Structure formats: structure tokens, C-alpha cells
């Protein structure tokens, strides 16, 4: 990017815990300028505007019409998120970077993606592991043919939320499957398959390009993702990672040089904040070069579809579910603390401590994970 070019003007909607994290990311990026914020909770809005010195609005519609924004950043509970994203798309911004999960139903996520796609707006979703540059370095080696073909991907995420926290790992899984269409999935739920609420899910994905992936939701000594190629194995638990090279059935030897540019094989999440920084760099890159953000809204919509497919398989006696899923009214209801305002779920007193903690994290410091 030309350094003389003015920074992209950002307006943030939702000045809660995670809103502070995104704001720190924008302040820390030389190509973005946080100029305004909106929140219907005037306590949260006041804390935020005092901290970041930006104009505050109690109504986000007013912010969208008054400020000349390049990037809209709705950092909201899942319930209001789809409508706000669609409203931002109609307000003439160039990019929208919201949080995850992006929606409850497939229909809502379709509407969000279409509202942006039809206007040429870049939509990103989630301060996500998929934004970490390490994975993209390995993916580039795969694309260059250095590691052989991806054969199998194993995702180990011991989580009781396939949509809430679990969308993180599924996003990276899709990256290493080359974001191919899904042919079919079989799956199971850790609890009641009749429930629409979020829960742990495992299963198998067959991508249309022939790549197989398996998902485990059990807590185990191995967390993260294993990408098994014909000439290499990559494993990351998100905080660190390793790449081993070798031939089929031959000995594997670790290649640490791949991650030298990122400071080595460990410390990927903290305190460097590579995930958050990567997200901001990705939205700037999308605007500068008219390309898809690393963790796009379309990616997150397809991640939700995989999660719905795993559950539908269990509901149908573990039958394979063919994609795309036709019934777009299907969805997964996230845990209350993601669906609704946390102040409402936790109560004022507990929330006050949480927002104070989020508001005191230094720029470049540790992230609120989830
Ligand atoms: N990627 C991650 O690692 C990660 C981590 C934590 C949270 N999250 C996600 O971030 C989102 C927000 O989480 P949080 O912890 O900041 O919640 P929060 O409850 O602390 O903040 C939400 C804020 O949005 C405001 N808000 C709600 N509806 C609004 C509307 N219509 N207009 C304007 N303001 C509105 C609320 O008043 C509140 O200030 C959730 O979707 C959550 O899943 C992601």
C-alpha cells in the first residue's frame, strides 16, 4: 500500500468486551483509523469513546449516515448481527468485518453474504485462527507443490460448541481443503441431536476434491489440526506449530525454518497477537487488492453449513448429508452468552468487571479468546 494513501476510516458497532479487542487491532494497524463507535448501551459507549477518543452514537444508523466510513465493524452478539451487517452493506461502506458466529441460520448467513457480494463489499467474520499468517505460509508451500497433496485432515477440538468456538478450527480445516465444496458429511452430536442448540459434534467430511477430514470433539492430549500431505505433516495447536517433511512411509524430519519469519515454532497466539493483527491486515489487503478476506463471511457461512450437516446426519441415523443443504431454515443456536448481550446474561455486577478488564488491556497485549 502507498504510505501517502489515507488510512481506511473505521466505525465500530458494539462497544463490548470483544469490541475493545477489535478497536485495539485497528488502532495498531497503520492503514486503519478508528473514527467512530455506536452502541445502544450508553455505559459501554462512554467507556469506549473515552478510551479511544472517537465520536459516539447511541444509534448505529446515525453513525452510518453521518460518518464517511470505509470499514464497518459490527462486534455484536449473534442475534442482532445479521440485520446490522445487512444495514451496513446498504450504507455504502467498502468492507465489513464482523464477529463469529455470524448468524443462527443458514438463511441469515446467505442474506449477509449476498447483501455484500451484490454490492462488491468485502465481508470478513471473526477474530479467527484462520487469520494467523503461519497457516497461509504452509498453504502456500502446499500450493507450490513442495509438500505433496493434502490427503487427510484431522481436527481435534475439545469443545462443547461446534458453532461458537468450533467454527475456528473448521475454518482452518476448510483452508487446507482448498476451500473446496463439500460432497457429503456424516456426523454425530455429543448430546441430543434433536436440539437446535450448540453442542460438541464430531464426524467426517468428504470434499469434492477428494480430501477427507475427520473431526473429534473429545478433549485429548492433542488439540488443533493435523494436515497430512503425501510429503509432509503440519500440526498446530494454534499457540505453536510444527512442520515435518518426508516421503511416504519414510522418516519425518522437522523443518523449523518455515516459521523463522514469525519468530519460531511457538508463541503464535500470545503475546504477539498474530491472530488479531492478521485479521486487520487481511481486511486492509482485501480493500487494497480487491481480494477475499482470509476469514470471509462466505467461509463462515460454509463452516456453519458443515456444523448443521454433522447434526442432520445424526438426526437421520448417521446417514451421509449431501451438500449444499437445501433447507436453509436450519441453523445452530449459540450459547446465550454469544447470542445475547453478556451484560444481560451475566448480570450487571459481573459484567462490569469484565468490561473493565477488556478496557484495560494494552494495545498489542493478550486477546480475549473464544
Ligand atoms: N473471535 C473470538 O475469539 C471471540 C471472542 C469473544 C467474543 N466473540 C464474539 O464477539 C461477539 C461479541 O462478544 P462480546 O463479548 O463483546 O459481547 P458483549 O455483550 O460484551 O458486547 C456486545 C455489545 O454490543 C452492543 N449491542 C448489542 N446490540 C446492539 C445494537 N443493535 N446496536 C448497537 N449496539 C448493540 C451491546 O450493548 C454491547 O455493548 C459475540 O458474537 C462473540 O461470540 C468472539
Amino acid at each position: 500500500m502507498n504510505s501517502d494513501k489515507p488510512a481506511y476510516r473505521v466505525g465500530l458497532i458494539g462497544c463490548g468486551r470483544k469490541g475493545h479487542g477489535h478497536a485495539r487491532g485497528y488502532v495498531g494497524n497503520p492503514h486503519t483509523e478508528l473514527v467512530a463507535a455506536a452502541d445502544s448501551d450508553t455505559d459501554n459507549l462512554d467507556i469506549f469513546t473515552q478510551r479511544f477518543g472517537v465520536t459516539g452514537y447511541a444509534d448505529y444508523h446515525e453513525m452510518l449516515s453521518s460518518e464517511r466510513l470505509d470499514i464497518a465493524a459490527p462486534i455484536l452478539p449473534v442475534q442482532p448481527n445479521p440485520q446490522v451487517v445487512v444495514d451496513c452493506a446498504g450504507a455504502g461502506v467498502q468492507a465489513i468485518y464482523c464477529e463469529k458466529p455470524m448468524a443462527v441460520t443458514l438463511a441469515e448467513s446467505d442474506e449477509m453474504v449476498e447483501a455484500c457480494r451484490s454490492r462488491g463489499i468485502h465481508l470478513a467474520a471473526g477474530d479467527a485462527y484462520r487469520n494467523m499468517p503461519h497457516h497461509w505460509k504452509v498453504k502456500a508451500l502446499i500450493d507450490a507443490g513442495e509438500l505433496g497433496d493434502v490427503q487427510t485432515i484431522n481436527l481435534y477440538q475439545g469443545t462443547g460448541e461446534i458453532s461458537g468456538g468450533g467454527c475456528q478450527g473448521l475454518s482452518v480445516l476448510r483452508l487446507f481443503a482448498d476451500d473446496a465444496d463439500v460432497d457429503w458429511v456424516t456426523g454425530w452430536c455429543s448430546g441430543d441431536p434433536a436440539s437446535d442448540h450448540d453442542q460438541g459434534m464430531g464426524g467426517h467430511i468428504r470434499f469434492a476434491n477428494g480430501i477427507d477430514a475427520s473431526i473429534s470433539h473429545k478433549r485429548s492430549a492433542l488439540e488443533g489440526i493435523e494436515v497430512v500431505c503425501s510429503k509432509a505433516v503440519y500440526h498446530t495447536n494454534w499457540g505453536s506449530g510444527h512442520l515435518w517433511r518426508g516421503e511416504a512411509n519414510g522418516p519425518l524430519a522437522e523443518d523449523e525454518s518455515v516459521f523463522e519469519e514469525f519468530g519460531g515454532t511457538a508463541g503464535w497466539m500470545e503475546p504477539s497477537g498474530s491472530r488479531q493483527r492478521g485479521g486487520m491486515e487481511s481486511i486492509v489487503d482485501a480493500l487494497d487488492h480487491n481480494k477475499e478476506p482470509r476469514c470471509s463471511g462466505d467461509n463462515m457461512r460454509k463452516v456453519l453449513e458443515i456444523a448443521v450437516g454433522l447434526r442432520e446426519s445424526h438426526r437421520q441415523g448417521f446417514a451421509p448429508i449431501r451438500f449444499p443443504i437445501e433447507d436453509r431454515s436450519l441453523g445452530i443456536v449459540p450459547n446465550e452468552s454469544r447470542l445475547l448481550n453478556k451484560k444481560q446474561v451475566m448480570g450487571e455486577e459481573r459484567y462490569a468487571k469484565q468490561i473493565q478488564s477488556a478496557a484495560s488491556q494494552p494495545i498489542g497485549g493478550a486477546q480475549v479468546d473464544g
Side-chain angles (χ1 to χ4, degrees):
M1 175 167 174
N2 179 348
S3 56
D4 296 337
K5 203 172 153 188
Y8 293 116
R9 290 168 57 82
V10 182
L12 187 135
I13 307 169
C15 304
R17 294 158 72 248
K18 196 68 187 173
H20 281 263
H22 280 258
R24 288 160 46 215
Y26 287 116
V27 171
N29 187 301
H31 307 300
T32 57
E33 184 190 4
L34 185 65
V35 295
D39 200 306
S40 41
D41 179 326
T42 48
D43 293 339
N44 279 1
L45 183 64
D46 286 349
I47 294 170
F48 188 96
T49 51
Q50 277 167 30
R51 179 180 190 199
F52 292 102
V54 296
T55 312
Y57 297 85
D59 181 342
Y60 71 86
H61 298 96
E62 204 186 325
M63 178 182 84
L64 292 172
S65 59
S66 305
E67 303 279 345
R68 216 178 7 86
L69 300 176
D70 300 305
I71 302 173
I75 312 301
L76 295 169
V78 182
Q79 195 171 65
N81 193 48
Q83 186 59 51
V84 177
V85 167
V86 169
D87 288 347
C88 292
V93 300
Q94 297 176 56
I96 301 170
Y97 183 5
C98 70
E99 254 305 332
K100 57 79 186 162
M102 64 194 285
V104 174
T105 66
L106 297 174
E108 285 172 326
S109 61
D110 289 344
E111 194 192 347
M112 295 161 78
V113 170
E114 192 44 39
C116 293
R117 183 173 283 167
S118 61
R119 297 172 170 99
I121 297 168
H122 299 286
L123 175 62
D127 173 27
Y129 297 153
R130 187 168 156 135
N131 288 322
M132 298 167 85
H134 318 75
H135 313 314
W136 292 81
K137 175 94 190 264
V138 176
K139 177 70 167 72
L141 292 175
I142 292 169
D143 290 346
E146 280 199 36
L147 310 182
D149 295 333
V150 175
Q151 305 290 12
T152 304
I153 306 171
N154 299 312
L155 178 63
Y156 307 94
Q157 48 182 11
T159 171
E161 299 174 86
I162 187 79
S163 177
C167 64
Q168 294 267 11
L170 288 176
S171 292
V172 180
L173 189 157
R174 286 196 71 251
L175 170 66
F176 286 108
D178 209 22
D179 289 332
D181 288 339
V182 171
D183 195 352
W184 51 263
V185 307
T186 52
W188 50 87
C189 302
S190 57
D192 179 5
S195 169
D196 281 343
H197 288 270
D198 205 0
Q199 56 181 311
M201 294 182 203
H204 187 97
I205 308 170
R206 166 59 64 90
F207 288 93
N209 61 7
I211 292 177
D212 280 303
S214 77
I215 304 158
S216 168
H217 61 83
K218 299 190 173 168
R219 287 202 184 278
S220 70
L222 193 62
E223 266 291 310
I225 200 163
E226 238 172 26
V227 182
V228 184
C229 307
S230 48
K231 294 199 284 185
V233 177
Y234 172 51
H235 172 259
T236 171
N237 63 2
W238 321 121
S240 64
H242 301 274
L243 180 78
W244 297 271
R245 294 179 192 253
E247 296 297 327
N249 279 328
L252 291 170
E254 185 168 359
D255 177 359
E256 293 189 34
S257 69
V258 174
F259 303 117
E260 262 167 23
E261 65 178 291
F262 309 116
T265 56
W268 291 3
M269 280 285 286
E270 312 295 353
S272 62
S274 69
R275 182 179 74 161
Q276 180 201 60
R277 254 204 327 270
M280 301 310 157
E281 282 163 11
S282 169
I283 202 75
V284 167
D285 210 28
L287 285 168
D288 282 352
H289 303 292
N290 194 23
K291 61 195 254 203
E292 177 112 334
R294 280 179 176 170
C295 192
S296 68
D298 187 47
N299 166 63
M300 277 303 188
R301 146 171 92 150
K302 288 175 175 161
V303 159
L304 178 62
E305 191 175 17
I306 289 172
V308 167
L310 297 173
R311 186 198 60 212
E312 291 307 298
S313 171
H314 193 157
R315 283 182 177 175
Q316 295 177 29
F318 310 104
I321 302 295
R322 300 244 163 229
F323 275 44
I325 292 177
E326 275 177 27
D327 183 352
R328 309 304 283 181
S329 71
L330 293 172
I332 294 183
V333 181
N335 291 350
E336 268 203 334
S337 66
R338 296 188 191 276
L339 188 67
L340 308 171
N341 289 334
K342 289 197 173 68
K343 187 184 274 187
Q344 181 184 338
V345 177
M346 292 177 179
E348 300 234 351
E349 205 177 316
R350 222 180 115 211
Y351 186 79
K353 288 185 191 139
Q354 297 252 339
I355 195 72
Q356 282 307 337
S357 158
S360 58
Q361 286 180 25
I363 291 166
Q367 270 291 283
V368 181
D369 199 4

